Amino acid sequence: MARPKEKINTLIGHEELQKRIKELANEISRDYEGRDLLLIGVLKGSFMFLADLIRELDYTVAVDFMGTYSYGASTQSSGEVRITKDLEQSVSGRHVLLVEDIVDTGLTLRYLVDTLRARQPASLKVCALLDKPARRRARIGLDYYGFIIPNAFVVGYGLDYQEKYRGLPYVGVLEEEEQQKTE
Ligand code: PRP
Ligand code: 7HP
């Protein structure tokens, strides 16, 4: 199997990710003490973050997933958010925490928050591992975030470029030559 290391520069290492996720989980546990919580992971990118986060939370926490798609094979958002998978569970009257891998333009999150609010949860908050404010196009507040990152296209730890690199255990910046070669 091809080793991608030579074209990807590490931005956030595995240990740093794990340390910050534990801190986030402690904060979330404190805030939701005594309340039932439903985590909603946004597929596909959030699967790794959600898996690590939920293992640090109370074992009674429920989980469901929504799928969205807006980047395709590009490093730029198409601007159109499509739902590829809806929830199985109802969110009505429940405490919901939306779990994202990255907020970039903010269009995906804006769309999801509006969609979920209309279903009348008791509360709705957002937790994103990575916040890239430089390219924001939609106004959206984050209740919890892991890291603020610079304006670069990142891969790994669930995030892809043309469906590759999701399995990297760290977050790295994809070098420009690599993007141009394959675009
Ligand atoms: C990515 C990422 C976020 C969204 C963030 O999903 O996982 O959900 O883009 O970008 P935005 O803030 O500019 O909307 P993508 O549409 O690439 O699907 P994927 O998670 O399946 O790769
Ligand atoms: C989506 C996305 N996917 C991978 N890397 C990034 O930097 C991204 N921003 N938005």
Side-chain angles (χ1 to χ4, degrees):
M1 195 179 283
R3 296 237 151 235
K5 273 194 180 138
E6 63 282 359
K7 354 169 188 122
I8 294 168
N9 292 320
T10 304
L11 182 66
I12 309 166
H14 184 68
E15 313 250 295
E16 205 181 343
L17 285 168
Q18 298 309 311
K19 182 169 170 274
R20 184 71 188 119
I21 290 167
K22 281 200 175 92
E23 289 171 358
L24 283 175
N26 287 340
E27 214 182 313
I28 293 166
S29 299
R30 269 199 310 273
D31 293 353
Y32 285 91
E33 202 182 345
R35 284 185 289 170
D36 288 334
L37 175 62
L38 170 65
L39 293 187
I40 297 183
V42 184
L43 294 174
K44 296 187 279 232
S46 75
F47 74 93
M48 224 185 258
F49 174 41
L50 187 133
D52 284 343
L53 184 68
I54 199 168
R55 277 179 283 197
E56 299 293 333
L57 295 172
D58 188 304
Y59 296 141
T60 61
V61 166
V63 67
D64 205 342
F65 294 95
M66 277 187 94
T68 60
Y69 183 77
S70 55
Y71 277 75
S74 171
T75 58
Q76 308 283 331
S77 170
S78 65
E80 183 194 341
V81 181
R82 274 187 282 151
I83 300 280
T84 56
K85 184 202 175 298
D86 204 346
L87 297 171
E88 287 170 12
Q89 300 176 42
S90 166
V91 297
S92 173
R94 301 177 75 180
H95 296 289
V96 173
L97 181 61
L98 202 49
V99 179
E100 259 287 23
D101 51 342
I102 188 165
V103 185
D104 191 328
T105 63
L107 293 173
T108 303
L109 203 51
R110 177 78 272 153
Y111 186 87
L112 286 172
V113 165
D114 291 347
T115 302
L116 291 175
R117 269 214 188 113
R119 299 181 189 181
Q120 301 184 312
S123 69
L124 176 61
K125 286 189 178 185
V126 177
C127 174
L129 180 65
L130 307 175
D131 180 9
K132 193 199 290 185
R135 298 205 301 182
R136 201 71 103 243
R137 287 164 62 189
R139 269 169 67 95
I140 188 88
L142 298 180
D143 300 286
Y144 308 94
Y145 67 90
F147 302 87
I148 295 178
I149 62 164
N151 187 9
F153 196 78
V154 291
V155 294
Y157 202 69
L159 290 129
D160 75 308
Y161 174 60
Q162 298 185 342
E163 293 301 327
K164 295 182 293 186
Y165 309 126
R166 289 194 200 270
L168 288 176
Y170 56 89
V171 174
V173 175
L174 192 68
E175 284 182 14
E176 244 165 59
E177 302 124 53
E178 169 64 7
Q179 291 177 32
Q180 281 157 9
K181 246 191 286 167
T182 47
E183 265 182 352

